[in-house]
Amino acid sequence: RTERRGEIAKERIAALTGLVNGLDQRLVRVEERGVRLEEQLKAHVAQTRQNFDNLVGRYDDRFERVDRRFEQ
């Protein structure tokens, strides 16, 4: 009877170990995805900032041309 309890305990430990390993692997994948998403977000923000700066530059040029026309 003690031998059977030992076997049951070993089976439960093995099951828990498998569960923990599975959770660890899933956590690693989630962390990796988080890193990829953060990199994508940073790239998107940088591109948006660049697009905004380009638009501001274009409008500044246009306003300068309009000002020069009024000065003439």
Side-chain angles (χ1 to χ4, degrees), residues 24-36:
D24 284 345
Q25 290 173 2
R26 187 170 182 182
L27 179 59
V28 167
R29 288 192 304 270
V30 167
E31 288 174 344
E32 289 171 348
R33 184 163 190 242
V35 168
R36 285 192 309 273

Side-chain angles (χ1 to χ4, degrees), residues 6-72:
E7 290 175 17
I8 292 171
K10 287 178 185 177
E11 289 172 3
R12 288 181 178 171
I13 290 170
L16 288 173
T17 301
L19 178 65
V20 168
N21 288 339
L23 290 173
D24 284 345
Q25 290 173 2
R26 187 170 182 182
L27 179 59
V28 167
R29 288 192 304 270
V30 167
E31 288 174 344
E32 289 171 348
R33 184 163 190 242
V35 168
R36 285 192 309 273
L37 289 173
E38 184 177 5
E39 290 171 356
Q40 290 172 356
L41 179 60
K42 285 179 182 179
H44 180 72
V45 168
Q47 184 65 51
T48 301
R49 184 173 291 127
Q50 182 180 0
N51 291 345
F52 179 77
D53 291 343
N54 290 341
L55 284 173
V56 168
R58 280 191 231 157
Y59 283 107
D60 285 346
D61 290 343
R62 287 183 183 176
F63 285 124
E64 285 177 23
R65 281 187 257 149
V66 168
D67 284 344
R68 281 190 294 236
R69 285 184 185 167
F70 282 121
E71 289 174 358
Q72 292 175 355

